[in-house]
Coordinates of all heavy atoms in Angstrom, one line a residue:
Y74 N -2.2 2.8 14.8 CA -3.3 3.8 14.6 C -4.5 3.0 14.1 O -4.5 1.9 13.5 CB -2.9 4.8 13.6 CG -1.6 5.6 13.9 CD1 -0.4 5.2 13.4 CD2 -1.7 6.7 14.8 CE1 0.8 5.8 13.8 CE2 -0.5 7.4 15.1 CZ 0.7 7.0 14.6 OH 1.8 7.6 14.9
E75 N -5.7 3.7 14.2 CA -6.9 3.2 13.7 C -7.5 4.1 12.7 O -7.4 5.3 12.8 CB -8.0 3.0 14.9 CG -9.3 2.6 14.4 CD -10.4 2.6 15.5 OE1 -10.0 3.1 16.6 OE2 -11.5 2.1 15.4
N76 N -8.1 3.5 11.6 CA -8.7 4.3 10.6 C -9.9 3.6 10.1 O -9.9 2.4 9.6 CB -7.7 4.5 9.4 CG -8.2 5.5 8.4 OD1 -9.4 5.5 8.0 ND2 -7.3 6.4 8.0
E77 N -11.1 4.2 10.2 CA -12.3 3.6 9.8 C -12.6 3.7 8.3 O -13.6 3.1 7.9 CB -13.5 4.3 10.6 CG -13.8 5.7 10.1 CD -12.9 6.7 10.8 OE1 -12.0 6.3 11.5 OE2 -13.1 7.9 10.5
S78 N -11.7 4.3 7.5 CA -11.9 4.4 6.1 C -11.1 3.5 5.3 O -10.9 3.7 4.0 CB -11.7 5.9 5.7 OG -12.5 6.8 6.4
I79 N -10.4 2.5 5.9 CA -9.6 1.6 5.1 C -10.4 0.7 4.1 O -11.5 0.2 4.5 CB -8.7 0.7 6.1 CG1 -7.7 1.5 6.9 CG2 -8.0 -0.4 5.3 CD1 -6.9 0.7 7.8
Y80 N -9.9 0.6 3.0 CA -10.6 -0.1 1.9 C -10.7 -1.6 2.2 O -9.8 -2.2 2.7 CB -9.8 0.1 0.6 CG -10.2 -0.8 -0.6 CD1 -11.4 -0.5 -1.2 CD2 -9.4 -1.8 -1.0 CE1 -11.8 -1.2 -2.3 CE2 -9.8 -2.6 -2.1 CZ -11.0 -2.3 -2.8 OH -11.4 -3.0 -3.8
T81 N -11.9 -2.1 2.0 CA -12.2 -3.6 2.1 C -12.2 -4.2 0.7 O -12.9 -3.7 -0.1 CB -13.6 -3.8 2.8 OG1 -13.5 -3.3 4.2 CG2 -13.8 -5.3 2.9
H82 N -11.4 -5.2 0.6 CA -11.2 -5.8 -0.8 C -12.2 -6.9 -1.0 O -12.3 -7.8 -0.1 CB -9.8 -6.3 -0.9 CG -9.6 -7.0 -2.2 ND1 -9.7 -6.4 -3.4 CD2 -9.2 -8.3 -2.5 CE1 -9.4 -7.3 -4.4 NE2 -9.2 -8.4 -3.9
T83 N -12.9 -6.9 -2.1 CA -13.8 -8.0 -2.5 C -13.0 -8.9 -3.5 O -12.7 -8.5 -4.6 CB -15.1 -7.5 -3.1 OG1 -15.7 -6.7 -2.1 CG2 -16.0 -8.7 -3.4
R84 N -12.8 -10.2 -3.1 CA -12.0 -11.1 -3.9 C -12.8 -11.5 -5.2 O -14.0 -11.5 -5.2 CB -11.7 -12.4 -3.1 CG -10.3 -12.6 -2.8 CD -9.6 -13.4 -3.9 NE -9.8 -14.8 -3.7 CZ -10.0 -15.6 -4.7 NH1 -10.0 -15.2 -6.0 NH2 -10.1 -16.9 -4.5
G85 N -12.0 -11.8 -6.3 CA -12.6 -12.2 -7.5 C -13.1 -13.7 -7.4 O -13.1 -14.2 -6.3
T86 N -13.4 -14.3 -8.5 CA -14.0 -15.6 -8.5 C -13.1 -16.7 -8.9 O -13.5 -17.9 -8.9 CB -15.3 -15.7 -9.4 OG1 -14.9 -15.4 -10.7 CG2 -16.3 -14.7 -9.0
A87 N -11.8 -16.4 -9.1 CA -10.8 -17.5 -9.5 C -10.5 -18.4 -8.3 O -10.3 -17.9 -7.2 CB -9.6 -16.8 -10.0
T88 N -10.6 -19.7 -8.5 CA -10.3 -20.7 -7.5 C -9.1 -21.5 -7.8 O -8.4 -22.1 -7.0 CB -11.5 -21.6 -7.2 OG1 -11.8 -22.2 -8.4 CG2 -12.7 -20.8 -6.7
T89 N -8.8 -21.7 -9.1 CA -7.7 -22.5 -9.6 C -6.9 -21.7 -10.7 O -7.1 -20.5 -10.8 CB -8.2 -23.8 -10.2 OG1 -9.1 -23.5 -11.3 CG2 -8.9 -24.6 -9.1
G90 N -6.1 -22.4 -11.4 CA -5.4 -21.8 -12.5 C -4.0 -22.3 -12.6 O -3.4 -22.8 -11.7
T91 N -3.4 -22.1 -13.8 CA -2.0 -22.5 -14.1 C -1.4 -21.4 -15.0 O -2.1 -20.6 -15.6 CB -1.9 -23.8 -14.8 OG1 -2.6 -23.8 -16.1 CG2 -2.5 -25.0 -14.0
V92 N -0.1 -21.3 -15.0 CA 0.6 -20.4 -15.9 C 0.5 -21.0 -17.3 O 0.7 -22.1 -17.5 CB 2.1 -20.3 -15.4 CG1 2.8 -19.4 -16.4 CG2 2.2 -19.8 -14.0
T93 N 0.1 -20.1 -18.2 CA -0.1 -20.5 -19.6 C 1.2 -20.8 -20.3 O 1.4 -21.9 -20.9 CB -0.8 -19.4 -20.4 OG1 -2.1 -19.1 -19.7 CG2 -1.2 -19.9 -21.8
T94 N 2.2 -19.9 -20.2 CA 3.5 -20.1 -20.9 C 4.5 -19.6 -19.9 O 4.3 -18.6 -19.1 CB 3.6 -19.3 -22.2 OG1 3.3 -17.9 -21.9 CG2 2.6 -19.8 -23.2
T95 N 5.7 -20.2 -20.0 CA 6.8 -19.8 -19.2 C 7.2 -18.4 -19.4 O 7.3 -17.9 -20.5 CB 8.0 -20.7 -19.4 OG1 7.7 -22.1 -19.1 CG2 9.2 -20.3 -18.6
I96 N 7.4 -17.6 -18.3 CA 7.9 -16.3 -18.4 C 9.3 -16.2 -18.9 O 10.2 -16.9 -18.3 CB 7.8 -15.5 -17.0 CG1 6.3 -15.5 -16.6 CG2 8.4 -14.1 -17.1 CD1 5.4 -14.6 -17.5
A97 N 9.6 -15.6 -20.0 CA 10.9 -15.6 -20.6 C 11.6 -14.3 -20.6 O 12.7 -14.1 -21.1 CB 10.8 -16.1 -22.1
T98 N 11.0 -13.3 -19.9 CA 11.6 -11.9 -19.9 C 11.7 -11.4 -18.5 O 10.7 -11.4 -17.8 CB 10.8 -10.9 -20.7 OG1 10.6 -11.4 -22.1 CG2 11.4 -9.6 -20.8
N99 N 12.9 -11.1 -18.1 CA 13.1 -10.5 -16.8 C 12.4 -9.1 -16.7 O 12.4 -8.4 -17.7 CB 14.6 -10.3 -16.5 CG 15.2 -11.4 -15.8 OD1 14.9 -11.7 -14.6 ND2 16.2 -12.1 -16.4
G100 N 11.7 -8.9 -15.6 CA 11.0 -7.7 -15.4 C 9.6 -7.7 -15.9 O 8.9 -6.6 -15.9
A101 N 9.1 -8.8 -16.4 CA 7.8 -8.9 -16.9 C 6.8 -8.6 -15.7 O 6.9 -9.1 -14.6 CB 7.5 -10.3 -17.4
A102 N 5.8 -7.8 -16.0 CA 4.8 -7.5 -15.0 C 3.4 -7.9 -15.5 O 2.4 -7.5 -14.9 CB 4.8 -6.0 -14.8
V103 N 3.3 -8.8 -16.5 CA 2.1 -9.3 -17.0 C 2.3 -10.8 -17.2 O 3.3 -11.3 -17.7 CB 1.7 -8.7 -18.4 CG1 0.5 -9.4 -19.0 CG2 1.4 -7.2 -18.2
I104 N 1.3 -11.6 -16.8 CA 1.3 -13.0 -16.9 C 0.0 -13.6 -17.5 O -1.0 -13.0 -17.2 CB 1.6 -13.6 -15.5 CG1 1.9 -15.1 -15.6 CG2 0.5 -13.4 -14.5 CD1 2.5 -15.7 -14.3
S105 N 0.1 -14.6 -18.2 CA -1.1 -15.3 -18.8 C -1.4 -16.5 -17.9 O -0.6 -17.3 -17.6 CB -0.8 -15.7 -20.2 OG -1.9 -16.5 -20.7
L106 N -2.7 -16.6 -17.5 CA -3.2 -17.7 -16.7 C -4.3 -18.4 -17.4 O -5.1 -17.9 -18.1 CB -3.7 -17.1 -15.4 CG -2.7 -16.3 -14.5 CD1 -3.4 -15.9 -13.2 CD2 -1.5 -17.2 -14.2
S107 N -4.2 -19.8 -17.3 CA -5.2 -20.6 -17.9 C -5.9 -21.5 -16.8 O -5.6 -21.5 -15.6 CB -4.5 -21.6 -18.9 OG -3.8 -20.8 -19.9
G108 N -7.0 -22.2 -17.3 CA -7.7 -23.1 -16.4 C -8.5 -22.4 -15.3 O -8.7 -22.9 -14.2
L109 N -8.9 -21.1 -15.6 CA -9.6 -20.3 -14.6 C -11.1 -20.6 -14.6 O -11.8 -20.3 -13.6 CB -9.3 -18.8 -14.8 CG -7.9 -18.4 -14.8 CD1 -7.8 -17.0 -15.3 CD2 -7.4 -18.5 -13.3
G110 N -11.6 -21.1 -15.6 CA -13.0 -21.3 -15.8 C -13.6 -20.1 -16.6 O -13.1 -19.0 -16.6
A111 N -14.7 -20.4 -17.3 CA -15.3 -19.4 -18.2 C -15.7 -18.2 -17.5 O -16.4 -18.2 -16.4 CB -16.4 -20.0 -19.0
S112 N -15.3 -17.0 -18.0 CA -15.7 -15.7 -17.4 C -15.3 -15.5 -16.0 O -15.9 -14.6 -15.3 CB -17.2 -15.5 -17.6 OG -17.5 -15.6 -19.0
T113 N -14.3 -16.2 -15.5 CA -13.9 -16.0 -14.1 C -13.3 -14.5 -14.0 O -12.6 -14.0 -14.9 CB -12.8 -17.0 -13.8 OG1 -13.3 -18.3 -13.7 CG2 -12.1 -16.7 -12.4
T114 N -13.6 -13.9 -12.9 CA -13.1 -12.6 -12.6 C -11.9 -12.6 -11.7 O -11.8 -13.3 -10.8 CB -14.2 -11.7 -12.0 OG1 -14.6 -12.3 -10.7 CG2 -15.4 -11.6 -12.9
I115 N -10.9 -11.7 -12.1 CA -9.8 -11.5 -11.2 C -9.8 -10.0 -10.9 O -9.8 -9.2 -11.8 CB -8.5 -11.8 -12.0 CG1 -8.5 -13.3 -12.4 CG2 -7.2 -11.5 -11.2 CD1 -7.3 -13.7 -13.3

Side-chain angles (χ1 to χ4, degrees):
Y74 303 94
E75 177 185 7
N76 190 315
E77 68 279 3
S78 301
I79 294 180
Y80 172 70
T81 297
H82 176 64
T83 300
R84 245 271 278 142
T86 58
T88 58
T89 58
T91 60
V92 177
T93 305
T94 55
T95 299
I96 297 296
T98 303
N99 267 297
V103 174
I104 190 169
S105 176
L106 302 179
S107 303
L109 299 170
S112 302
T113 292
T114 59
I115 300 173

